[in-house]
Amino acid sequence: MTSASYVVAGMVCANCVTWITEELAQLPGVTAVSIDLPTDTVTVTSDHLLDIADIRRAVEEAGYTLVSS
Amino acid sequence: MTSASYVVAGMVCANCVTWITEELAQLPGVTAVSIDLPTDTVTVTSDHLLDIADIRRAVEEAGYTLVSS
């Protein structure tokens, strides 16, 4: 099990949290998604290390922007 | 040209406005979408009267709930 945190721009409200969580949870191996709005931080727990390109794609699919990892 | 207003539940922030506007704007005939967050009101302007089922589907596609028209 591994966790990684990412900075995502544009998250404002609980709906933003829901949309991003839904997209990231669909990635194979993801077991948990935790989002801290005040720090723009998204933490993804997974059973293997995820490809940053997949994280970026999921975040953008939700309509937001991955700033850094 | 016709305008109709609907009450949509769950809209909180500017991103919510964007997601709903994007979905409604894809309906054939829609020329403008205006959203007033404080009153949960979505106003759709179109070149013909739209089917409420299409409005509902677009709102739900964005992840929100059409309460009334």
Side-chain angles (χ1 to χ4, degrees), chain B residues 36-53:
Chain B
D36 184 60
L37 278 181
T39 60
D40 290 331
T41 303
V42 177
T43 301
V44 180
T45 304
S46 52
D47 59 16
H48 63 278
L49 194 60
L50 297 167
D51 189 322
I52 185 68

Side-chain angles (χ1 to χ4, degrees), chain A residues 4-11 20 24 34-44 52 55-56 59-60 64-69:
Chain A
S5 292
Y6 312 89
V7 175
V8 172
M11 302 186 297
I20 292 175
L24 288 170
S34 166
I35 297 182
D36 184 60
L37 278 180
T39 59
D40 291 331
T41 302
V42 177
T43 301
V44 180
I52 185 69
I55 296 286
R56 185 181 305 279
V59 167
E60 291 179 352
Y64 300 82
T65 304
L66 183 67
V67 176
S68 68
S69 59

Side-chain angles (χ1 to χ4, degrees), chain A residues 8-38:
Chain A
V8 172
M11 302 186 297
V12 179
C13 75
N15 289 319
C16 302
V17 170
T18 298
W19 310 147
I20 292 175
T21 300
E22 282 181 356
E23 289 296 334
L24 288 170
Q26 289 178 32
L27 293 178
V30 169
T31 56
V33 178
S34 166
I35 297 182
D36 184 60
L37 278 180

